[in-house]
Amino acid sequence: MRIEAVAGDITTQSVDAIVNAANSSLLGGGGVDGAIHRAAGPALLAECEQLRATTHRDGLPVGHAVATGAGNLPARWVIHTVGPNRHAGQTDPALLASAFSASLAVASGLGATSVAFPAISGGVYGWAMGEVAEIAVATVRDADARGVETVRFVLFGADALAEFRARLA
């Protein structure tokens, strides 16, 4: 599996699946989640509302992942995952690793060959970018994601990019 880190906008990535750093409601929010929902258009929200009405009535738990279509995005799917919120006392690195590994498992199950990830929990959820990079890269390297050929970390800002590139070196 090829793993790379780039600076950019995850909503413009031409990959099979884009991972959304969602909140448990699945109904959009700020940061990456809000940007993905805005770019995807109303079809994404409609699919998320359907998930909430059926299989995820109580929301998506931390560390889990679920897929929807991608609406107006160039990807085929959006894989929603909820990273741990350090400000809410969710400090177990295993929860963060699970967000990455569960997303890859979903991608593999869909038949995705390329996946773009943001720095899950590295923004308003309070995790240090270096810790996110360390956990993300190690988890992806150790994952058994059959069929996934490329994982791209799409990062906002020079500091995030530097942290991920240092872990990939």
Side-chain angles (χ1 to χ4, degrees):
M1 173 187 320
R2 187 175 77 232
I3 306 170
E4 57 193 23
V6 300
D9 177 351
I10 198 165
T11 67
T12 65
Q13 299 297 304
S14 293
V15 292
D16 291 332
I18 291 173
V19 176
N20 179 18
N23 60 52
S24 64
S25 78
L26 297 173
L27 302 178
V32 170
D33 190 17
I36 288 173
H37 272 269
R38 283 188 300 279
L44 181 62
L45 180 58
E47 282 194 61
C48 289
E49 287 172 337
Q50 183 63 27
L51 286 171
R52 286 302 307 271
T54 57
T55 58
H56 291 85
R57 289 183 183 276
D58 295 326
L60 186 64
V62 173
H64 291 233
V66 65
T68 62
N72 296 329
L73 295 168
R76 292 176 63 191
W77 301 287
V78 174
I79 299 171
H80 308 268
T81 190
V82 180
N85 185 338
R86 188 171 283 284
H87 302 301
Q90 298 166 341
T91 59
D92 184 354
L95 286 173
L96 184 55
S98 180
F100 287 98
S101 62
S103 296
L104 281 174
V106 168
S108 181
L110 291 168
T113 61
S114 55
V115 181
F117 277 95
I120 299 166
S121 294
V124 297
Y125 278 18
W127 284 69
M129 195 56 69
E131 191 171 9
V132 172
E134 185 73 32
I135 291 166
V137 170
T139 301
V140 169
R141 280 186 172 146
D142 292 343
D144 179 20
R146 289 189 176 94
V148 177
E149 299 169 2
T150 303
V151 170
R152 180 178 305 144
F153 293 106
V154 182
L155 306 157
F156 184 77
D159 292 341
L161 182 61
E163 292 287 0
F164 274 79
R165 286 194 171 159
R167 278 24 176 233
L168 289 170

